[in-house]
Amino acid sequence: MKAIKVKEDFYWVGAIDWNVRNFHGYSTFRGTTYNAYLLVDEKIVLFDTVKHGFEEELLSRVKSVIEPEKIDYLVINHIEPDHAGGFVKIVEVIKPEKIFLTKNARLGILAHFHKENYPFEEVKTGTTVKVGKRTLTFIETPMIHWPDSMITYIPEERILVSQDAFGAHYASSGRFDDEVDLCELIQETRKYYANIIYPYSPQVNKLLKTVKEMNLQIEMICPDHGVIWRKNPEKVLSLYERWSSYVCDPRVLIIYDTMWKSTEKLAYAIMDGVLEEGVEVKLCKLSVTDWTELMADVLESRGLILGSPTLNNGLLPTVSGFLTYMKGFRPRGKVGAAFGSYGWSGESVKILNQYLQEIQAEIVHEGLKVKYVPDEKVLLEGRELGKAAAKKVKELCSG
Amino acid sequence: MKKYKCNVCGYVYDPENGDPSQNIPPGTPFENLPGTWTCPVCGASKDDFSPED
């Protein structure tokens, strides 16, 4: 397997995982890649490694350019096992003179691999290392998306090696944004942001400001997953600007599950109400909906209407499971409401409202509960709930 | 009032600002934060904070 030339003396030497479909719970329907990069200057630099099991693919690509033992420096931008799983094996082969990483990355790598004698060299934001004609400039990016994370900028080439930021789980034979279907790439980039980066939106927003303040000229963005943004790096920067600012579309998601179709009847009535206001709607029944895909919709939808019947004084497990997952991403700027049927105790709406409060949603209705099966009057109330949510969504999205 | 830094992610708690995300009003010294308070960035506990130099 061969290296792919990105620019003069700069190569992609990563691995393509065509067949992964479950990445720690994240549904990777289009596979993924573990990207690593090689810079050949007076010093030879490898940026990141790959997931354990893919080391030979990386080494064979490196060998198509130089002998791996000639690598002088290893830069560890992120220590998660999909990038550093092959760390020990690669270090044992290349025997680098120095391994550049943040303090948190060193502590994290030690806690993973316990190799105190490796030649670690801690770097901070602003640390620069001259490698010949070119310079490595490190910028710490804590919590984008782990405490150890950093990015490396090469000013002479205007290349940003951005680890997981701006990436996508997307396997393809094309290595660049102009060699793949842009629509697919944006879908996967959105899904990646929603399921990995979303909780750290305030940090992303700050980083984008820092990049502007430092006046970094960015010709190419080289992330650790998916393709290299060569033709249109501004596109992914503008998407990150949008997502990290919680900009949403005027769309309502009705996220629910049902036991005997009473909650589902309410869901349809609410949908009718939203549509009466001329607002886009999506009905998402959790027993048949992929969580990872749904998060991509949550990211860009202003309205979240949650429904569950009461089961044993609580929510249906499909609903509580998804809401636990969703809550961890700290969605903000949402319009919310809750609904559900019950037989005797009827706690579900109260619990759903608590989830909405936790994500600081603006709740537009006290919640719609129905004992057993909704009649016309209750369905009418469901339509009113849908209309109220849609009106608020329109108001917030037009402002 | 002293600022405190999260050892995990580097977030700095500034008592002048408090932490609106957890309803901590401006002017609350770090020592007075409830034990249930966590780092608003990474979720680390209060014990994971050190006074800033």
Side-chain angles (χ1 to χ4, degrees), chain A residues 1-165:
Chain A
M1 280 175 276
K2 292 210 166 12
I4 305 289
K5 189 171 172 180
V6 177
K7 283 190 91 177
E8 199 60 36
D9 302 329
F10 189 76
Y11 302 87
W12 175 86
V13 290
I16 305 176
D17 195 348
W18 291 97
N19 294 311
V20 64
R21 289 294 176 270
N22 183 329
F23 183 97
H24 65 48
Y26 182 129
S27 60
T28 44
F29 297 137
R30 290 187 171 115
T32 192
T33 69
Y34 313 112
N35 297 341
Y37 300 94
L38 184 73
L39 174 64
V40 182
D41 204 317
E42 284 166 34
K43 293 288 184 182
I44 298 174
V45 188
L46 178 65
F47 297 88
D48 289 314
T49 66
V50 286
K51 190 177 173 182
H52 178 56
F54 290 84
E55 297 93 336
E56 289 306 324
E57 187 169 338
L58 179 148
L59 290 170
S60 80
R61 292 188 198 278
V62 171
K63 276 179 198 158
S64 71
V65 183
I66 48 129
E67 283 308 311
E69 299 78 21
K70 291 196 172 155
I71 293 171
D72 301 290
Y73 297 157
L74 174 60
V75 174
I76 295 293
N77 282 318
H78 180 29
I79 67 163
E80 197 168 0
D82 49 334
H83 309 293
F87 172 75
V88 171
K89 194 166 171 186
I90 298 296
V91 169
E92 294 301 326
V93 172
I94 68 178
K95 298 193 169 48
E97 183 190 324
K98 286 178 183 174
I99 300 169
F100 296 109
L101 73 187
T102 64
K103 182 182 177 187
N104 273 333
R106 188 178 63 81
L107 297 173
I109 279 279
L110 290 177
H112 274 83
F113 303 110
H114 318 287
K115 300 282 186 188
E116 281 83 1
N117 57 342
Y118 279 7
F120 295 115
E121 188 150 322
E122 286 181 15
V123 297
K124 291 182 168 174
T125 295
T127 304
T128 55
V129 175
K130 198 87 183 147
V131 295
K133 281 189 285 183
R134 301 169 183 90
T135 317
L136 312 180
T137 305
F138 303 110
I139 302 167
E140 292 172 88
T141 57
M143 301 321 291
I144 309 174
H145 67 109
W146 273 24
D148 51 270
S149 305
M150 69 168 183
I151 55 180
T152 308
Y153 179 64
I154 308 169
E156 295 81 359
E157 300 294 341
R158 301 181 195 184
I159 284 177
L160 187 66
V161 185
S162 65
Q163 46 98 15
D164 279 345

Side-chain angles (χ1 to χ4, degrees), chain B residues 10-24:
Chain B
Y11 163 83
V12 176
Y13 175 77
D14 184 347
E16 269 188 36
N17 303 330
D19 175 13
S21 75
Q22 290 173 72
N23 302 317
I24 304 295

Side-chain angles (χ1 to χ4, degrees), chain A residues 104 142-143 147 200 203 330, chain B residues 7-9 21 40-42:
Chain A
N104 273 333
M143 301 321 291
Y200 308 112
Q203 285 73 34
R330 301 179 214 160
Chain B
N7 301 333
V8 177
C9 71
S21 75
V41 174
C42 72

Side-chain angles (χ1 to χ4, degrees), chain A residues 261-306:
Chain A
K261 306 231 189 267
S262 285
T263 299
E264 188 157 63
K265 284 191 179 102
L266 293 177
Y268 275 81
I270 291 166
M271 179 179 74
D272 286 344
V274 176
L275 289 171
E276 266 181 61
E277 286 297 321
V279 169
E280 185 192 345
V281 67
K282 274 195 182 184
L283 215 57
C284 315
K285 179 151 71 173
L286 283 164
S287 55
V288 291
T289 301
D290 179 86
W291 288 7
T292 330
E293 292 280 314
L294 180 52
M295 273 312 301
D297 278 332
V298 168
L299 173 69
E300 291 201 308
S301 299
R302 181 68 72 195
L304 297 181
I305 303 183
L306 309 178

Side-chain angles (χ1 to χ4, degrees), chain B:
Chain B
M1 280 186 291
K2 219 168 172 46
K3 293 180 185 175
Y4 279 71
K5 190 172 178 181
C6 175
N7 301 333
V8 177
C9 71
Y11 163 83
V12 176
Y13 175 77
D14 184 347
E16 269 188 36
N17 303 330
D19 175 13
S21 75
Q22 290 173 72
N23 302 317
I24 304 295
T28 308
F30 183 82
E31 295 74 17
N32 291 6
L33 291 171
T36 51
W37 182 82
T38 56
C39 173
V41 174
C42 72
S45 71
K46 207 180 152 183
D47 302 342
D48 284 316
F49 278 72
S50 311
E52 214 182 24
D53 310 324

